[in-house]
Amino acid sequence: EVQLVESGGGLVKVGGSLRLACAASGFTSHDPIIAWFRQAPGKDREGLSCMSRSGTTYYADSVKGRFTISINSAKNTVYLEMNSLKPEDTAVYFCASGDVLSLHALLYLHWGQGTQVTVSS
């Protein structure tokens, strides 16, 4: 059974940093694409970043230059380093796995439960 478990969310002040982690398990046949999304109250789920095991990455314009995705293959964990956080970054952050390198949520098959990030001004 595929499982994705996010951690690392919390409360941070404007301009601060957080590192989210997504621990992935249960993949038996291949290394999937892992992506980060977020959803704020009343808004659609937004794709933030995705990464293939070969190292190709995509970023949404809203986070480019502030967020960095990385992977520790030995730990099957994907990270999202978030810097220069803004109040509009407040949301529930999810990781997801799929087979296509994309920021479209519909292309992702498995999802974690999410972790709350709150940026206070």
Side-chain angles (χ1 to χ4, degrees), residues 13 21 30 32 34 40-41 49 56-57 72 76-77 83 93 95 99 117:
K13 292 185 178 180
H30 67 289
I34 301 292
S49 183
T56 302
T57 58
N72 183 325
N76 280 330
T77 299
N83 298 312
Y93 284 68
C95 63
D99 297 322
V117 171

Side-chain angles (χ1 to χ4, degrees), residues 8-20 38 48 62-63 66-67 80-91 93 117-121:
L11 176 64
V12 64
K13 292 185 178 180
V14 169
S17 299
L18 280 175
R19 188 177 78 158
L20 305 182
R38 69 185 177 190
L48 303 177
S62 59
V63 303
R66 299 190 299 124
F67 291 11
L80 186 68
E81 184 77 33
M82 306 187 296
N83 298 312
S84 302
L85 285 163
K86 308 173 183 179
E88 52 264 42
D89 293 318
T90 295
Y93 284 68
V117 171
T118 303
V119 184
S120 65
S121 56

Side-chain angles (χ1 to χ4, degrees), residues 7-51:
S7 61
L11 176 64
V12 64
K13 292 185 178 180
V14 169
S17 299
L18 280 175
R19 188 177 78 158
L20 305 182
C22 174
S25 62
F27 297 99
T28 57
S29 62
H30 67 289
D31 292 327
I33 304 296
I34 301 292
W36 284 97
F37 293 81
R38 69 185 177 190
Q39 189 163 20
K43 295 191 176 181
D44 292 336
R45 192 163 294 192
E46 178 188 12
L48 303 177
S49 183
C50 56
M51 183 174 189

